[in-house]
mmCIF file of all heavy atoms in Angstrom:
data_model
loop_
_atom_site.group_PDB
_atom_site.id
_atom_site.type_symbol
_atom_site.label_atom_id
_atom_site.label_comp_id
_atom_site.label_asym_id
_atom_site.label_seq_id
_atom_site.Cartn_x
_atom_site.Cartn_y
_atom_site.Cartn_z
ATOM 1 N N GLY A 24 -3.897 -46.011 16.297
ATOM 2 C CA GLY A 24 -4.770 -44.888 15.958
ATOM 3 C C GLY A 24 -5.648 -45.180 14.761
ATOM 4 O O GLY A 24 -5.146 -45.448 13.665
ATOM 5 N N GLY A 26 -7.759 -43.020 13.303
ATOM 6 C CA GLY A 26 -8.257 -41.757 12.742
ATOM 7 C C GLY A 26 -8.187 -41.837 11.223
ATOM 8 O O GLY A 26 -8.122 -42.923 10.638
ATOM 9 N N PHE A 27 -8.168 -40.681 10.571
ATOM 10 C CA PHE A 27 -8.157 -40.660 9.099
ATOM 11 C C PHE A 27 -6.933 -41.389 8.553
ATOM 12 O O PHE A 27 -7.029 -42.132 7.582
ATOM 13 C CB PHE A 27 -8.139 -39.211 8.595
ATOM 14 C CG PHE A 27 -9.446 -38.523 8.751
ATOM 15 C CD1 PHE A 27 -9.653 -37.586 9.753
ATOM 16 C CD2 PHE A 27 -10.501 -38.816 7.897
ATOM 17 C CE1 PHE A 27 -10.870 -36.940 9.891
ATOM 18 C CE2 PHE A 27 -11.729 -38.181 8.030
ATOM 19 C CZ PHE A 27 -11.909 -37.245 9.029
ATOM 20 N N ALA A 28 -5.762 -41.181 9.174
ATOM 21 C CA ALA A 28 -4.538 -41.803 8.665
ATOM 22 C C ALA A 28 -4.584 -43.314 8.883
ATOM 23 O O ALA A 28 -4.348 -44.102 7.954
ATOM 24 C CB ALA A 28 -3.324 -41.195 9.373
ATOM 25 N N ASP A 47 -6.809 -48.866 18.935
ATOM 26 C CA ASP A 47 -7.289 -47.519 19.261
ATOM 27 C C ASP A 47 -7.931 -47.547 20.643
ATOM 28 O O ASP A 47 -8.499 -48.558 21.057
ATOM 29 C CB ASP A 47 -8.305 -47.018 18.224
ATOM 30 C CG ASP A 47 -8.435 -45.484 18.254
ATOM 31 O OD1 ASP A 47 -8.903 -44.925 19.275
ATOM 32 O OD2 ASP A 47 -8.056 -44.838 17.255
ATOM 33 N N LYS A 48 -7.866 -46.409 21.341
ATOM 34 C CA LYS A 48 -8.478 -46.345 22.669
ATOM 35 C C LYS A 48 -9.984 -46.172 22.586
ATOM 36 O O LYS A 48 -10.671 -46.237 23.599
ATOM 37 C CB LYS A 48 -7.824 -45.250 23.515
ATOM 38 C CG LYS A 48 -7.865 -43.878 22.913
ATOM 39 C CD LYS A 48 -7.041 -42.928 23.777
ATOM 40 C CE LYS A 48 -6.889 -41.585 23.081
ATOM 41 N NZ LYS A 48 -6.003 -40.685 23.751
ATOM 42 N N HIS A 49 -10.490 -45.871 21.366
ATOM 43 C CA HIS A 49 -11.940 -45.865 21.141
ATOM 44 C C HIS A 49 -12.258 -46.995 20.158
ATOM 45 O O HIS A 49 -11.417 -47.332 19.329
ATOM 46 C CB HIS A 49 -12.397 -44.539 20.535
ATOM 47 C CG HIS A 49 -12.080 -43.359 21.400
ATOM 48 N ND1 HIS A 49 -11.219 -42.360 21.020
ATOM 49 C CD2 HIS A 49 -12.503 -43.042 22.645
ATOM 50 C CE1 HIS A 49 -11.120 -41.472 21.997
ATOM 51 N NE2 HIS A 49 -11.883 -41.863 22.998
ATOM 52 N N GLN A 55 -13.998 -35.824 12.977
ATOM 53 C CA GLN A 55 -13.847 -34.614 13.797
ATOM 54 C C GLN A 55 -14.418 -33.342 13.161
ATOM 55 O O GLN A 55 -14.924 -32.476 13.883
ATOM 56 C CB GLN A 55 -12.379 -34.414 14.176
ATOM 57 C CG GLN A 55 -11.856 -35.520 15.076
ATOM 58 C CD GLN A 55 -10.364 -35.383 15.381
ATOM 59 O OE1 GLN A 55 -9.762 -34.345 15.212
ATOM 60 N NE2 GLN A 55 -9.769 -36.461 15.826
ATOM 61 N N PRO A 56 -14.366 -33.200 11.819
ATOM 62 C CA PRO A 56 -14.902 -31.953 11.252
ATOM 63 C C PRO A 56 -16.371 -31.680 11.610
ATOM 64 O O PRO A 56 -16.797 -30.533 11.579
ATOM 65 C CB PRO A 56 -14.732 -32.161 9.739
ATOM 66 C CG PRO A 56 -13.535 -33.051 9.625
ATOM 67 C CD PRO A 56 -13.634 -33.986 10.805
ATOM 68 N N ALA A 90 -7.564 -50.576 23.016
ATOM 69 C CA ALA A 90 -6.546 -50.381 24.059
ATOM 70 C C ALA A 90 -5.861 -49.044 23.855
ATOM 71 O O ALA A 90 -5.879 -48.487 22.750
ATOM 72 C CB ALA A 90 -5.494 -51.485 23.977
ATOM 73 N N VAL A 92 -2.227 -47.336 23.824
ATOM 74 C CA VAL A 92 -0.808 -47.685 23.770
ATOM 75 C C VAL A 92 -0.060 -46.759 24.722
ATOM 76 O O VAL A 92 -0.192 -45.539 24.646
ATOM 77 C CB VAL A 92 -0.272 -47.591 22.326
ATOM 78 C CG1 VAL A 92 1.222 -47.859 22.292
ATOM 79 C CG2 VAL A 92 -1.016 -48.585 21.449
ATOM 80 N N ALA A 117 -0.194 -43.225 14.418
ATOM 81 C CA ALA A 117 -1.175 -42.315 13.799
ATOM 82 C C ALA A 117 -2.100 -41.821 14.904
ATOM 83 O O ALA A 117 -3.316 -41.931 14.829
ATOM 84 C CB ALA A 117 -1.950 -43.054 12.714
ATOM 85 N N THR A 118 -1.469 -41.275 15.953
ATOM 86 C CA THR A 118 -2.200 -40.954 17.188
ATOM 87 C C THR A 118 -2.781 -39.545 17.211
ATOM 88 O O THR A 118 -3.424 -39.163 18.195
ATOM 89 C CB THR A 118 -1.263 -41.121 18.412
ATOM 90 O OG1 THR A 118 -0.039 -40.431 18.122
ATOM 91 C CG2 THR A 118 -0.967 -42.570 18.697
ATOM 92 N N GLY A 119 -2.573 -38.772 16.150
ATOM 93 C CA GLY A 119 -3.226 -37.464 16.053
ATOM 94 C C GLY A 119 -2.738 -36.468 17.098
ATOM 95 O O GLY A 119 -1.581 -36.469 17.517
ATOM 96 N N THR A 180 -12.878 -24.558 13.434
ATOM 97 C CA THR A 180 -13.688 -25.145 14.505
ATOM 98 C C THR A 180 -14.434 -24.076 15.290
ATOM 99 O O THR A 180 -15.650 -24.176 15.497
ATOM 100 C CB THR A 180 -12.780 -25.937 15.474
ATOM 101 O OG1 THR A 180 -12.097 -26.917 14.713
ATOM 102 C CG2 THR A 180 -13.566 -26.589 16.575
ATOM 103 N N ASP A 314 -1.649 -36.050 11.549
ATOM 104 C CA ASP A 314 -1.393 -34.895 12.425
ATOM 105 C C ASP A 314 -0.120 -35.041 13.251
ATOM 106 O O ASP A 314 0.511 -34.046 13.607
ATOM 107 C CB ASP A 314 -2.560 -34.738 13.423
ATOM 108 C CG ASP A 314 -3.720 -33.964 12.830
ATOM 109 O OD1 ASP A 314 -3.664 -33.633 11.636
ATOM 110 O OD2 ASP A 314 -4.684 -33.706 13.577
ATOM 111 N N GLN A 329 -2.422 -29.511 9.808
ATOM 112 C CA GLN A 329 -2.991 -30.643 10.565
ATOM 113 C C GLN A 329 -4.487 -30.734 10.266
ATOM 114 O O GLN A 329 -5.335 -30.386 11.069
ATOM 115 C CB GLN A 329 -2.695 -30.472 12.049
ATOM 116 C CG GLN A 329 -1.216 -30.784 12.318
ATOM 117 C CD GLN A 329 -0.761 -30.357 13.683
ATOM 118 O OE1 GLN A 329 -0.780 -29.174 13.990
ATOM 119 N NE2 GLN A 329 -0.343 -31.289 14.503
ATOM 120 N N VAL A 330 -4.773 -31.202 9.050
ATOM 121 C CA VAL A 330 -6.153 -31.403 8.596
ATOM 122 C C VAL A 330 -6.273 -32.802 8.002
ATOM 123 O O VAL A 330 -5.282 -33.530 7.877
ATOM 124 C CB VAL A 330 -6.573 -30.310 7.570
ATOM 125 C CG1 VAL A 330 -6.710 -28.952 8.235
ATOM 126 C CG2 VAL A 330 -5.616 -30.240 6.405
ATOM 127 N N ALA A 331 -7.492 -33.150 7.617
ATOM 128 C CA ALA A 331 -7.765 -34.540 7.250
ATOM 129 C C ALA A 331 -7.007 -35.009 5.997
ATOM 130 O O ALA A 331 -6.518 -36.148 5.949
ATOM 131 C CB ALA A 331 -9.273 -34.723 7.059
HETATM 132 C C1 LIG B 513 -13.194 -30.095 16.141
HETATM 133 C C2 LIG B 513 -12.321 -30.380 14.951
HETATM 134 C C3 LIG B 513 -12.723 -29.972 13.699
HETATM 135 C C4 LIG B 513 -11.940 -30.242 12.588
HETATM 136 N N1 LIG B 513 -12.374 -29.833 11.355
HETATM 137 C C5 LIG B 513 -11.661 -30.154 10.265
HETATM 138 C C6 LIG B 513 -12.146 -29.819 8.962
HETATM 139 O O1 LIG B 513 -13.195 -29.199 8.818
HETATM 140 N N2 LIG B 513 -11.402 -30.217 7.895
HETATM 141 C C7 LIG B 513 -10.235 -30.906 8.030
HETATM 142 O O2 LIG B 513 -9.628 -31.279 7.034
HETATM 143 N N3 LIG B 513 -9.752 -31.223 9.238
HETATM 144 C C8 LIG B 513 -10.433 -30.863 10.363
HETATM 145 N N4 LIG B 513 -9.959 -31.195 11.598
HETATM 146 C C9 LIG B 513 -8.640 -31.844 11.694
HETATM 147 C C10 LIG B 513 -8.739 -33.315 11.361
HETATM 148 O O3 LIG B 513 -9.804 -33.905 12.066
HETATM 149 C C11 LIG B 513 -7.405 -33.972 11.699
HETATM 150 O O4 LIG B 513 -6.414 -33.354 10.916
HETATM 151 C C12 LIG B 513 -7.439 -35.460 11.401
HETATM 152 O O5 LIG B 513 -8.376 -36.089 12.226
HETATM 153 C C13 LIG B 513 -6.054 -36.071 11.600
HETATM 154 O O6 LIG B 513 -6.142 -37.443 11.391
HETATM 155 P P1 LIG B 513 -5.164 -38.426 12.176
HETATM 156 O O7 LIG B 513 -5.480 -39.791 11.673
HETATM 157 O O8 LIG B 513 -3.771 -37.944 12.089
HETATM 158 O O9 LIG B 513 -5.586 -38.284 13.705
HETATM 159 P P2 LIG B 513 -7.003 -38.488 14.405
HETATM 160 O O10 LIG B 513 -8.097 -38.457 13.417
HETATM 161 O O11 LIG B 513 -7.030 -37.504 15.512
HETATM 162 O O12 LIG B 513 -6.932 -39.959 14.989
HETATM 163 C C14 LIG B 513 -6.077 -40.320 16.039
HETATM 164 C C15 LIG B 513 -6.578 -41.613 16.646
HETATM 165 O O13 LIG B 513 -5.599 -42.127 17.515
HETATM 166 C C16 LIG B 513 -6.207 -42.635 18.696
HETATM 167 N N5 LIG B 513 -5.175 -42.580 19.728
HETATM 168 C C17 LIG B 513 -4.462 -41.518 20.133
HETATM 169 N N6 LIG B 513 -3.539 -41.871 21.047
HETATM 170 C C18 LIG B 513 -3.692 -43.200 21.231
HETATM 171 C C19 LIG B 513 -3.033 -44.146 22.062
HETATM 172 N N7 LIG B 513 -2.002 -43.810 22.859
HETATM 173 N N8 LIG B 513 -3.458 -45.432 22.038
HETATM 174 C C20 LIG B 513 -4.484 -45.796 21.227
HETATM 175 N N9 LIG B 513 -5.131 -44.946 20.416
HETATM 176 C C21 LIG B 513 -4.739 -43.665 20.417
HETATM 177 C C22 LIG B 513 -7.385 -41.705 18.913
HETATM 178 O O14 LIG B 513 -8.376 -42.324 19.698
HETATM 179 C C23 LIG B 513 -7.841 -41.448 17.485
HETATM 180 O O15 LIG B 513 -8.812 -42.369 17.068
HETATM 181 C C24 LIG B 513 -10.726 -30.932 12.731
HETATM 182 C C25 LIG B 513 -10.316 -31.351 14.004
HETATM 183 C C26 LIG B 513 -11.114 -31.075 15.105
HETATM 184 C C27 LIG B 513 -10.682 -31.532 16.471
#
Side-chain angles (χ1 to χ4, degrees):
F27 286 104
D47 200 295
K48 57 187 171 187
H49 300 116
Q55 295 176 17
V92 176
T118 49
T180 303
D314 276 5
Q329 286 167 297
V330 291

